[in-house]
Amino acid sequence: MSQKYIKSKNNNSHNAKTYGKYYAKPVYDEKFIETDEIADFIQTQATLKRSDIKAALDELGAAMKHFLGMGQKIRLAGIGIFKVGFSSIGVTKAEDCTASTITSRRVLFQPETERIVTGSAEKDGKVVQKYVNTKTLIKDVAFEELHENLISVGSSSSGSNTNPSNGTNSGSNTGGNSGTSGTGGDNTGGNSGGGSGDDDDNMN
């Protein structure tokens, strides 16, 4: 299995650097993988009954809601870190900055990363390792082109943003840009509110 993509031509003439170029655009199955299917898969990988796995997965959401509600950060091994982020209205006086100024809340997710050695090089007379940091969940993803159709970025809205300096950024912004100061600072595929943030969870 692999992540499917199609070739997508950018017909948006407002950006001369990207106009007329082709980009790989992700294609997703309309069907979601549900809890039952995850339980079935885990059963083939572990010595646990499907019913026990399903029960644990069903309780996972409730457990995460409990700890997030307590202001805790949750780290799931092999997956990443979850915590609460929010945006608020700016006020002039410190005493007016209360919980009532908080306008939105969101779950911030920071994928777990691991260091992959890619080779070695000489630096200052010493041999040092060259490596990259990769997200654990997607480090083994393979890509496969679909040949059924060819679409244009300018006429499609499936969530792929073309950026001339960073290539193609596929996916939607979690939480979006609210235009107000955000707390939490984790990047969840896009801007999570901007503003101040803590990067004590930086795993790079």
Side-chain angles (χ1 to χ4, degrees):
M1 298 298 290
S2 57
Q3 170 63 57
K4 306 297 189 297
Y5 72 91
I6 57 175
K7 295 173 182 176
S8 174
K9 185 178 182 180
N10 183 8
N11 287 332
N12 185 352
S13 59
H14 293 292
N15 192 328
K17 291 184 178 180
T18 62
Y19 178 64
K21 293 183 178 179
Y22 290 87
Y23 295 88
K25 187 181 187 67
V27 177
Y28 304 104
D29 195 330
E30 292 183 1
K31 178 181 178 295
F32 285 91
I33 297 299
E34 303 289 352
T35 305
D36 286 344
E37 291 176 85
I38 293 178
D40 288 338
F41 177 81
I42 294 175
Q43 182 179 232
T44 67
Q45 309 295 311
T47 56
L48 294 170
K49 291 184 178 180
R50 179 186 180 279
S51 58
D52 294 331
I53 298 167
K54 177 68 162 49
L57 290 174
D58 286 341
E59 292 300 324
L60 178 60
M64 293 182 68
K65 181 178 179 180
H66 170 76
F67 288 109
L68 290 174
M70 295 173 61
Q72 299 292 319
K73 293 182 290 186
I74 301 169
R75 189 197 308 271
L76 297 181
I79 298 176
I81 296 170
F82 298 82
K83 64 181 180 181
V84 174
F86 55 84
S87 299
S88 69
I89 299 170
V91 293
T92 305
K93 298 179 181 179
E95 57 267 26
D96 293 333
C97 186
T98 63
S100 64
T101 65
I102 295 174
T103 57
S104 64
R105 67 192 74 180
R106 64 189 67 86
V107 175
L108 301 179
F109 171 56
Q110 179 183 336
E112 178 180 293
T113 61
E114 55 187 89
R115 181 173 292 186
I116 304 296
V117 177
T118 59
S120 60
E122 187 175 339
K123 183 178 180 181
D124 298 328
K126 297 180 180 179
V127 176
V128 295
Q129 287 183 330
K130 297 171 64 178
Y131 63 88
V132 295
N133 287 328
T134 183
K135 293 178 174 61
T136 302
L137 283 173
I138 58 174
K139 72 182 182 69
D140 297 321
V141 171
F143 298 93
E144 178 184 350
E145 180 184 354
L146 290 180
H147 299 280
E148 284 79 48
N149 54 2
L150 185 67
I151 64 174
S152 298
V153 171
S155 61
S156 174
S157 59
S158 67
S160 179
N161 299 323
T162 303
N163 185 310
S165 60
N166 296 323
T168 302
N169 178 21
S170 301
S172 60
N173 289 339
T174 303
N177 288 326
S178 64
T180 54
S181 174
T183 301
D186 290 89
N187 192 322
T188 57
N191 292 330
S192 59
S196 62
D198 67 75
D199 36 349
D200 56 343
D201 295 327
N202 192 339
M203 301 170 67
N204 293 333

